[in-house]
Amino acid sequence: MGVLAGRVVLVTGAGSGIGRATALLVAREGARVGLLGRDEGPLAETAALLHGDGLVLPADISDEALMRAACDQLLKTYGRIDGVFANAGINGVWAPIEELDLAEWQRTIAVNLTGTFLTIKHSVPHLGREGGSVVITSSVNGTRIFSNVGATAYSCSKAGQVAMAKMLALELAPRRIRVNVVCPGKIATQIDQSTDRQDLDSRPALAVYPGGKIPLTGGRAGRSIDVAQVVLFLLSDAAAHVSGTEVWIDGAESLLVG
C-alpha cells in the first residue's frame, strides 16, 4: 500500500514536466489525482498514464472562476482533497527593466503569484478535518540566485511564493495544514523553451563561473522525478512536522552562482 493510499491530490501544471512526474508518482503511491492545466490535450495524456486515477481539470490558474469550479469538481468527483501541489507557472518575458512592458510584468505575476494564491484559496477550504499538505513550486531564481539578468518579473513572483508559504504555514497550522516550497534549479523540462528573452544580448554576464555550474552532477540538469520525489515526501506523513520550509533541488548550483 502506497504512502498516499486513499488520498486525493490536486496537481497544477500536470500536463508536462515536474507536474506530470509528480502526478504519476503520487498516483503510484495510492492517490487519486486532479490534473489541472491550461491545455486539455497534455492533461489527457497524463490521465491516460494513470489508468483511471486522474481527473482532467482544464483551467487557467489566474482565472478565479475557473479555479473555484475546478476545485469544486475535484471535491464532487472524489469526495475529498488531501494535498495540493501548486506547481503551474511560466517563465514569461526576461528583459532589461527599462524594456520590460507593464503587460508582460503583469502576466508573469498573474500566473505565477496570483495563480498560486487562487490555487490555495479555492482548494484549502476542502482539506479535511485531519489537515493536509500544500506544496508550492518556486525556484532558485528570486530565492538564492539573482544573477539571471532580465528575470525581474519571474524572480519577484518566485520570491513572493516563498513569502506566501511562510505566511500561510502559520495561518493554517491550527487547521493542521502544512505549507512548504520546493525551489528547483535547472531541471530538464520544456519551460525554458517558452521563455521570451528580449534585448539581453547587449547586457554582459555579471560573472564567469567555473565549468560545470551544477556541482553535484558536473553540469547535468536535474530530472523532473528529482523534484517529484521531494514533493511526495512533503505531501506524505513522513513530513508531518515540516511546514513553512523551502527545499532547494538544484545540485548545489545556487550556492555557486547565486
Side-chain angles (χ1 to χ4, degrees), residues 85 135-139 180-184 227 230-231 234 247 249:
F85 183 32
V135 182
I136 299 168
T137 298
S138 178
S139 173
N180 291 289
V181 185
V182 291
C183 300
V227 181
V230 177
V231 176
L234 293 172
V247 181
I249 310 168

Side-chain angles (χ1 to χ4, degrees), residues 53-163:
D53 288 325
L55 175 67
V56 173
L57 299 167
D60 181 340
I61 61 169
S62 65
D63 186 313
E64 181 166 23
L66 293 179
M67 289 306 296
R68 181 189 297 110
C71 291
D72 288 346
Q73 184 179 350
L74 181 60
L75 181 69
K76 180 179 180 180
T77 301
Y78 290 140
R80 58 189 292 165
I81 302 176
D82 303 281
V84 178
F85 183 32
N87 165 72
I90 59 173
N91 274 2
V93 172
W94 290 20
I97 189 67
E98 67 271 25
E99 303 295 334
L100 183 63
D101 290 344
L102 176 59
E104 295 162 348
W105 162 275
Q106 290 174 329
R107 176 58 178 160
T108 301
I109 297 299
V111 173
N112 292 353
L113 192 54
T114 304
T116 298
F117 160 73
L118 292 174
T119 299
I120 298 172
K121 174 181 173 62
H122 291 294
S123 59
V124 158
H126 300 314
L127 295 184
R129 290 177 297 176
E130 298 177 0
S133 176
V134 176
V135 182
I136 299 168
T137 298
S138 178
S139 173
V140 294
N141 290 294
T143 59
R144 273 184 173 174
I145 291 181
F146 298 90
S147 52
N148 285 316
V149 175
T152 303
Y154 180 77
S155 292
C156 287
S157 71
K158 294 291 144 180
Q161 287 176 315
V162 173

